[in-house]
């Protein structure tokens, strides 16, 4: 290279932690060592999460942004939807739909940062649950009510008055007066919702 109009040959050497620059200037040599800091490897546990029910929570723990001397790094999460905090190594996620979060970790000693993603899997099979049947009947008549949703879901009907059964997909409802029926759906993962 050229410095102050002088032609200088630069010798550059690398190793895993430093870059060494040696510049011959006349009969002297100038040497500069530049430290190369590693990029942190950010890890989130669990990743991916086990499938959780719609209203359940999961604890997410980020690691990897730690400096020498075990000073903890800084972790920032996004989006902040259904998180207990936007900053921190440990957060509680309670999304009602499957959500992918990005966590960025910064090593405080070096300022180097990196990120990773984690997907919180939510059992949303009950989101499409509905009851099909007549909502109006004449006194003394019956209506067939049917709970619909994903296979592997069973229904627990309430109240039991005027129903042909309480734990089944389809019931015969013969109430003596106007009655609001609801079904609690429980899927094969044990998640519950009602309609």
């Amino acid at each position: 290279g050229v410095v102050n109009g002088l032609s200088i040959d630069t010798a550059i050497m690398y190793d895993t932690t430093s870059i060494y620059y040696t510049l011959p200037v006349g009969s002297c040599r100038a040497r500069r060592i530049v430290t190369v800091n590693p990029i942190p490897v950010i890890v989130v546990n669990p990743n991916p999460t086990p499938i959780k029910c719609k209203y359940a929570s999961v604890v997410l723990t980020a690691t990897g942004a730690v400096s020498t001397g075990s000073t903890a790094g800084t972790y920032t999460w996004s989006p902040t939807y259904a998180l207990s905090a936007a900053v921190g190594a440990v957060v509680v996620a309670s999304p009602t739909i499957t959500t992918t979060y990005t966590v960025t970790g910064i090593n405080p000693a070096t300022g180097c940062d990196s990120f990773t993603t984690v997907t919180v899997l939510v059992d949303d099979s009950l989101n499409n649950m509905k009851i099909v049947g007549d909502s109006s009947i004449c006194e003394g008549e019956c209506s067939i009510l049917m709970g619909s949703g994903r296979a592997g879901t069973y229904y627990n009907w309430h109240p039991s008055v005027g129903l042909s059964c309480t734990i089944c997909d389809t019931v015969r409802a013969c109430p003596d007066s106007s009655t609001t029926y609801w079904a609690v759906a429980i899927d094969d993962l044990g998640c519950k919702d009602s309609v």
Side-chain angles (χ1 to χ4, degrees), residues 174-185:
C174 305
D176 291 334
S177 61
S178 293
T179 305
T180 299
Y181 290 106
W182 73 93
V184 175

Side-chain angles (χ1 to χ4, degrees), residues 118-138:
V118 58
T119 300
V120 177
L121 302 169
V122 178
D123 176 10
D124 61 358
S125 65
L126 298 179
N127 289 351
N128 300 318
M129 187 182 79
K130 60 185 174 182
I131 295 176
V132 178
D134 293 329
S135 59
S136 177
I137 58 173
C138 295

